[in-house]
Amino acid sequence: MKETHTYGYMRVSSKDQNEDRQKMALREMNVPEKNIYMDKQSGKDFERPAYKRMVQKLGNGDLLYIQSIDRLGRNYEEIQNQWRILTKEKGVDICVIDMPLLDTRRGKDLVGTFLSDVVLQVLSFVAENERTNIRKRQAEGIAAAKAKGVRFGRPALPYPENFYKVHHDWRKKRITLQQAADACGMPVGTFYGKARRFEDSV
């Protein structure tokens, strides 16, 4: 009979985030230190090195602890897909520490499985919805900052000294757009963009 093992998975979104709370929760579940896997990257997908290594180790009857569902991931469909692969295909039990209803060891009957699936769907949706809201708030913040005159990205390079004369000759059709761009030492698209900005400002 195969010996079963206990594993723990942790994820933080960036190298600046602290993983101590997750590690403490896993230690309280007596997860061996050597069986704790951690990724420091976004939860938008499952292309994570530590997670992949852990999945290769997991086998039938093993138990996987995670502190909360959003540590597993933040993409609604992919969380469900990974949950199915781990529990149905690999025969792994999963316990979400801060959500006792998401413990596949409980209620192996039809009702227990159904309840676990419903809770997973709701929590996965909430996790992805929060991620969407964060992106929306970031976009709104950037838009508000731009409206106040805050500039993002690299500052625009100044116009070359001959720009105004070249621009005048180009608009008078004395030279082509390509010749104008060449005269200013820049790509056609850059010259045209600067020309439009200059014309909008006068």
Side-chain angles (χ1 to χ4, degrees):
M1 184 175 175
K2 176 190 175 297
E3 183 183 358
T4 59
H5 301 279
T6 302
Y7 292 86
Y9 180 69
M10 300 166 26
R11 183 187 64 78
V12 289
S13 297
S14 69
K15 292 179 181 177
D16 298 329
Q17 284 188 322
N18 194 311
E19 67 272 10
D20 290 347
R21 196 163 64 92
Q22 292 179 69
K23 188 170 284 186
M24 192 179 303
L26 295 177
R27 281 175 177 162
E28 287 176 1
M29 296 296 130
N30 297 315
V31 179
E33 199 78 28
K34 64 183 177 65
N35 288 351
I36 294 177
Y37 290 78
M38 182 178 74
D39 283 304
K40 290 194 174 186
Q41 67 185 84
S42 164
K44 65 184 174 66
D45 58 40
F46 283 86
E47 292 301 311
R48 307 177 216 144
Y51 181 81
K52 286 182 171 181
R53 287 199 307 274
M54 181 189 71
V55 170
Q56 287 180 338
K57 290 263 191 183
L58 287 167
N60 187 48
D62 288 341
L63 172 61
L64 171 63
Y65 281 105
I66 53 173
Q67 196 217 356
S68 58
I69 194 67
D70 64 346
R71 296 306 88 201
L72 185 61
R74 288 189 176 275
N75 182 295
Y76 175 52
E77 290 183 8
E78 290 204 20
I79 290 174
Q80 289 186 301
N81 187 46
Q82 288 298 314
W83 190 278
R84 180 187 57 76
I85 290 170
L86 294 174
T87 59
K88 304 290 195 296
E89 296 181 13
K90 294 185 76 76
V92 175
D93 275 316
I94 304 176
C95 175
V96 179
I97 297 169
D98 68 359
M99 182 58 61
L101 283 173
L102 279 178
D103 184 344
T104 59
R105 296 170 299 177
R106 294 166 43 115
K108 293 284 188 180
D109 59 3
L110 188 62
V111 174
T113 302
F114 173 74
L115 183 61
S116 181
D117 285 349
V118 168
V119 174
L120 174 65
Q121 286 190 40
V122 171
L123 290 179
S124 299
F125 173 77
V126 168
E128 185 178 13
N129 198 48
E130 176 59 18
R131 182 167 148 256
T132 301
N133 285 338
I134 288 171
R135 285 204 306 266
K136 183 181 176 185
R137 288 195 293 270
Q138 287 174 335
E140 288 172 348
I142 291 170
K146 284 183 175 178
K148 290 179 181 176
V150 177
R151 300 182 72 86
F152 294 87
R154 292 179 299 177
L157 294 172
Y159 296 116
E161 287 183 10
N162 65 340
F163 177 81
Y164 305 104
K165 180 180 184 309
V166 171
H167 172 266
H168 180 265
D169 289 346
W170 170 60
R171 280 304 186 195
K172 292 293 184 182
K173 299 194 181 334
R174 293 172 186 160
I175 56 175
T176 65
L177 177 60
Q178 183 66 62
Q179 289 171 328
D182 290 344
C184 289
M186 59 182 67
V188 168
T190 303
F191 175 84
Y192 186 76
K194 283 185 174 295
R196 292 300 300 270
R197 282 195 293 277
F198 169 66
E199 289 162 11
D200 289 342
S201 67
V202 295

